[in-house]
Amino acid sequence: VRSDKFVVDLKEKKIYSDIGFTLRLPDGGTKRVRGLYLICDGGYHFWRVLQCTIKNASDDDTRVFSSRVESLRKDVECVFGIMKKRHKILCRGIEIRELQHIDNVFFACCIIHNMLLEDDGWADRYKKRSYWNKIGPGAGSDNILSAFSSAETDTADTEDDTHSDLGDFDERELIDDSALTRNTYMRQAAVAVGIERENEHFDLRRDLINNLKMQFLDNEVYWLC
């Protein structure tokens, strides 16, 4: 990821640093945050701009947050699978040598994919109220974990949220932020693979978890089914 110019520029606040969003706090206040972040799996650095799930979370709020982030990430991955089925050129090694031409091929596939979404009516699905589920105490459950679980069961097939794609590095998914300090083996494993840790990563993750919880309690959470 260090060689990904977009991620590095985002990390160094060269791009999108002026874009902000407001997060809800447990004390009823709000916090203005500037700079975007990317959703990823647990195989990346603990940078502020790379937010991943917590596999072995010990509390309901964190488990729900992890489940929602994982669900969004998998939606993106499914798009690539759909595109590979639609465009055979993406199913095998691309024989084009020029990088710009490869980019153009992929962009063309994306454009066609979006055109098909428009033609099939899927692009406007989010505009229809019937496709949104309200999740919160006013929707029948006072528990955030059971509310999201019920919504998933009623609207769509769910997937296992474990990080099977991480291979031997699954154990880097920690129960809380101090796990590396308590567990010598995990700390040594992280150092061995060169994982970088930023305090801002954990601060933002905590704020995002609290924001989801506060929105849930105020019946402001909707989920597209």
Side-chain angles (χ1 to χ4, degrees), residues 161-194:
D161 284 327
T162 57
H163 293 293
S164 58
D165 55 328
L166 294 183
D168 295 335
F169 299 123
D170 270 1
E171 292 181 342
R172 286 181 294 169
E173 284 302 317
L174 311 174
I175 293 177
D176 57 48
D177 300 348
S178 60
L180 279 176
T181 302
R182 296 195 310 268
N183 190 312
T184 302
Y185 171 78
M186 293 307 304
R187 183 173 65 252
Q188 292 174 345
V191 172
V193 295

Side-chain angles (χ1 to χ4, degrees), residues 9-184:
D9 286 348
L10 195 63
K11 179 178 183 294
E12 296 178 353
K13 299 181 180 180
K14 295 180 180 179
I15 55 175
Y16 302 119
S17 59
D18 58 331
I19 297 179
F21 51 95
T22 302
L23 298 176
R24 305 275 296 279
L25 301 176
D27 61 5
T30 60
K31 179 179 181 179
R32 189 66 178 171
V33 179
R34 290 197 174 276
L36 303 184
Y37 63 91
L38 306 174
I39 294 174
C40 63
D41 61 30
Y44 293 87
H45 297 295
F46 292 119
W47 292 348
R48 185 264 183 199
V49 297
L50 299 176
Q51 291 295 320
C52 60
T53 59
I54 305 92
K55 179 180 178 181
N56 298 314
S58 57
D59 64 278
D60 287 353
D61 297 336
T62 305
R63 289 167 62 190
V64 168
F65 171 78
S66 296
S67 175
R68 296 306 89 208
V69 171
E70 187 72 10
S71 177
L72 293 172
R73 188 177 68 84
K74 287 180 178 177
D75 284 345
V76 175
E77 292 181 352
C78 286
V79 171
F80 288 103
I82 293 172
M83 290 179 59
K84 287 177 67 175
K85 289 183 178 179
R86 283 179 167 171
H87 308 288
K88 291 185 177 180
I89 192 172
L90 301 179
C91 292
R92 59 179 183 270
I94 297 179
E95 299 177 357
I96 302 173
R97 294 181 179 275
E98 293 79 6
L99 181 59
Q100 184 60 54
H101 291 172
I102 295 175
D103 285 346
N104 290 339
V105 168
F106 183 73
F107 291 151
C109 291
C110 290
I111 292 172
I112 295 173
H113 173 77
N114 289 337
M115 291 173 63
L116 291 172
L117 289 180
E118 292 279 356
D119 188 63
D120 295 338
W122 283 89
D124 294 329
R125 183 168 177 156
Y126 74 96
K127 298 178 181 179
K128 300 179 181 179
R129 184 182 297 271
S130 60
Y131 288 114
W132 289 93
N133 271 358
K134 187 173 185 179
I135 303 175
S141 176
D142 294 330
N143 180 274
I144 188 170
L145 181 63
S146 61
F148 274 105
S149 298
S150 299
E152 279 192 340
T153 303
D154 293 340
T155 60
D157 293 331
T158 60
E159 298 183 57
D160 182 10
D161 284 327
T162 57
H163 293 293
S164 58
D165 55 328
L166 294 183
D168 295 335
F169 299 123
D170 270 1
E171 292 181 342
R172 286 181 294 169
E173 284 302 317
L174 311 174
I175 293 177
D176 57 48
D177 300 348
S178 60
L180 279 176
T181 302
R182 296 195 310 268
N183 190 312
T184 302

